[in-house]
Amino acid sequence: MSKSEVQSRDTSGTAPDAEAHGAGSVSEESRVQQRLADAIYEHRIPPGTKLPEVDLCRILGTSRGTLRKALARLADHHLVQQIPNRGAFVARPGVETTRDVYALRRILEGGMVRSLACRDCRSWIGDVRQQVGEEREANRIGDTSRYIRLAGKFHLDLAVATGNSALSHHLELVIAQTSLMTALYSAPGANTCSVHEHLEILDAIEAGRLQDAERLMEEHLLGCERQLRLGDEPPPAVDLSQALGEPAPAVQAPTKRKPRTTHR
């Protein structure tokens, strides 16, 4: 697999956004979908947050029709829940669903790394190691948004390396769900994905140690799940304008009033 193929997935489970219409062109619907998806993945909009159409159209500078299409696509990928007569909300997975999805990840990714450990990995592993180095640096300097993206990208890169498009597609959806679960249930400031463990998994794959690769991935995902506080807490209030990066309105200086002239 070429370097460009690895780098093509540069977000942590980014929703299938980039239906590019011509080189370098992105549709308005995809732009709106991407803005919302990024804010959800990066935990700027917490699970359970209501997504009012009027506010979002104003913040994102788009039409109601375009917004509704974007929300429908996000709902297809389990990021948004649409409730009749109530509106759209960022999906808020329950505890049992969270446990089930992490169990599914262990099944998918255990088999994935076993498969990779059986193959020649020289065409892609160097690029993934470099990306893990970027992940470590983002964590060190406290760039949380970038760290979250890169941590998820590691897992997606391994799926891409298998050459199995069905696996890549399904894992992308599952990682999207666990990103929400992390936002909902992790302790403030917790890093649920370990850079050190990522490197250990790569070492086992490169050495062709099938059982070690599978064991390390299972332990890694179990560790991620154990860091979650699987309670039932209400979502915090969120300022959608701030979360979606709406520029603050310019503050105009007060107009100086001329003194009245009185005629006697």
Side-chain angles (χ1 to χ4, degrees):
M1 186 179 61
S2 68
K3 182 174 182 178
S4 61
E5 288 174 317
V6 173
Q7 291 178 334
S8 66
R9 292 177 180 266
D10 61 354
T11 60
S12 62
T14 299
D17 52 293
E19 283 188 5
H21 300 275
S25 173
V26 179
S27 72
E28 173 66 6
E29 180 186 328
S30 293
R31 180 190 71 81
V32 170
Q33 180 187 347
Q34 190 64 54
R35 287 277 301 279
L36 288 167
D38 285 348
I40 293 169
Y41 284 125
E42 294 171 11
H43 305 170
R44 286 181 273 127
I45 305 180
T49 301
K50 184 173 176 59
L51 301 171
E53 289 185 359
V54 172
D55 292 344
L56 290 179
C57 286
R58 175 183 58 80
I59 293 166
L60 297 171
T62 193
S63 68
R64 186 165 289 190
T66 297
L67 176 67
R68 286 176 176 173
K69 289 177 183 177
L71 290 173
R73 291 184 67 188
L74 291 171
D76 288 341
H77 293 90
H78 309 291
L79 290 179
V80 166
Q81 182 181 16
Q82 294 180 307
I83 303 176
N85 302 319
R86 290 189 58 199
F89 297 79
V90 178
R92 193 168 189 268
V95 171
E96 288 305 313
T97 299
T98 299
R99 297 191 191 280
D100 287 347
V101 171
Y102 269 95
L104 176 59
R105 279 193 66 173
R106 292 194 294 275
I107 294 168
L108 289 175
E109 297 193 56
M112 175 181 75
V113 294
R114 280 185 65 90
S115 173
L116 290 172
C118 294
R119 308 179 187 184
D120 185 349
C121 62
R122 287 175 293 180
S123 62
W124 60 266
I125 200 163
D127 293 327
V128 177
R129 284 190 183 279
Q130 180 178 348
Q131 176 260 304
V132 174
E134 295 171 5
E135 179 188 341
R136 186 201 301 275
E137 178 62 12
N139 186 37
R140 185 187 69 81
I141 65 175
D143 188 346
T144 305
S145 294
R146 180 167 172 76
Y147 174 74
I148 291 169
R149 285 174 172 273
L150 291 171
K153 183 177 183 293
F154 169 80
H155 294 267
L156 290 174
D157 282 347
L158 296 185
V160 173
T162 67
N164 187 321
S165 59
L167 173 62
S168 297
H169 174 71
H170 286 292
L171 190 58
E172 190 171 2
L173 297 180
V174 173
I175 288 176
Q177 289 180 281
T178 53
S179 178
L180 283 174
M181 293 160 183
T182 300
L184 180 58
Y185 295 119
S186 64
N191 292 328
T192 56
C193 235
S194 164
V195 174
H196 176 70
E197 291 172 6
H198 285 178
L199 291 173
E200 286 186 326
I201 291 165
L202 287 178
D203 288 343
I205 291 172
E206 190 169 27
R209 304 195 315 266
L210 281 67
Q211 292 182 346
D212 283 348
E214 185 173 16
R215 174 182 58 79
L216 288 167
M217 180 60 82
E218 181 171 357
E219 290 175 355
H220 172 61
L221 293 172
L222 278 171
C224 292
E225 182 180 352
R226 289 189 188 111
Q227 289 188 55
L228 303 181
R229 301 176 301 177
L230 294 179
D232 191 21
E233 301 175 7
V238 62
D239 183 333
L240 289 174
S241 296
Q242 184 178 18
L244 291 165
E246 183 187 35
V251 178
Q252 295 183 344
T255 306
K256 209 169 185 180
R257 298 179 63 181
K258 293 181 180 180
R260 284 189 179 180
T261 310
T262 55
H263 300 277
R264 299 192 180 187

